[in-house]
Amino acid sequence: RVPGGCQSRVASTGTPAYTGCYGVAGTSVAAPARTIARTGGDFTSIQAALAAAQDGEVLTITDNSAPWIETLDFSMPSRGGVKGVVLQGDPSLDPRPTLLGNGIPKPFMFTIGPATTAQSRNMTFRNLVFDGTNTSGTNSTVFENFTTQTVMKLQNCEFVGGSGALWGVNVEDNHTIMENCEITKPYAPSGACAAFLKRKSRNVAMSSCTIASGDQAIRHYGGKILANNCRFVGAGTGPTILVEYVINA
């Protein structure tokens, strides 16, 4: 522990995170910025990197040679959760690194931030593809950071919902910011949607996003949606955006 107290920050430009310490003159300790690659990186798996992550750390996937197939636990409960971690694909990669979960069809392909007292907070996901094509149940990707004063940031990410899923992305965060993201989901039984924003999602702010589904684009249940320069596409018989219940909070 560095004396005097520290604050972790992540620069908006995508540069590595750092920890600025106050109370001790001239003291500054940089948080690590490590890479993930099958060869030549600091870690050979995403889960190993998450397990070792520190507050404010930037983890960059530099390998897009094949999809990443592994069970991912973003809560890091063994250490009581961490704060301000960035998981990103190297911005120079095209296509972006793809995450496939463990590759086995199941109801939840990606569960990010389980609703426990030991969970990661204020995480940022950037330049990634979450492919939930193999989802066999309710959600392809679910965000569950229920704690107050928690912000989840999704930047330049693509979320692919499976045809067997009811919802492509289920957002239950306290506050979510989506920038330049795309959520798509093919048609599924009536009531399916690309994004399901549940009651615990107090506020969802979207900018330059596309949400498209073979049925409803968004099913909204609680909180506020703040959208700027976004495109919502629904091809079902119901409304493109179904608002069930709104909390003005």
Side-chain angles (χ1 to χ4, degrees), residues 10 20 23 25 33 49 54-55 60 69 78 99 101 111 118 153 166 172 194 203 239:
V10 179
Q54 301 177 27
D55 286 0
T60 301
I69 302 176
S78 62
L99 281 58
T111 300
K153 293 182 181 179
L166 188 58
E172 298 190 5
N203 295 289

Side-chain angles (χ1 to χ4, degrees), residues 209-228:
C209 293
T210 298
I211 300 179
S213 171
D215 201 340
Q216 295 166 355
I218 294 179
R219 187 176 177 185
H220 181 43
Y221 191 87
K224 291 180 179 179
I225 298 178
L226 307 174
N228 178 49

Side-chain angles (χ1 to χ4, degrees), residues 60-149:
T60 301
I61 302 172
T62 60
D63 183 347
N64 66 347
S65 59
W68 291 85
I69 302 176
E70 56 181 298
T71 299
L72 300 176
D73 178 8
F74 295 90
S75 63
M76 293 159 273
S78 62
R79 292 178 290 118
V82 294
K83 299 181 290 295
V85 171
V86 176
L87 177 64
Q88 66 176 8
D90 188 316
S92 68
L93 295 180
D94 184 15
R96 292 166 289 189
T98 296
L99 281 58
L100 279 180
N102 63 2
I104 301 173
K106 60 180 182 177
F108 301 92
M109 292 303 295
F110 305 100
T111 300
I112 300 173
T116 67
T117 56
Q119 60 183 318
S120 53
R121 301 181 182 183
N122 298 329
M123 289 193 72
T124 297
F125 298 91
R126 184 184 297 143
N127 307 327
L128 297 170
V129 177
F130 292 80
D131 190 339
T133 303
N134 287 329
T135 307
S136 62
T138 308
N139 306 294
S140 290
T141 303
V142 57
F143 295 97
E144 290 186 337
N145 256 344
F146 289 165
T147 55
T148 58
Q149 299 181 344

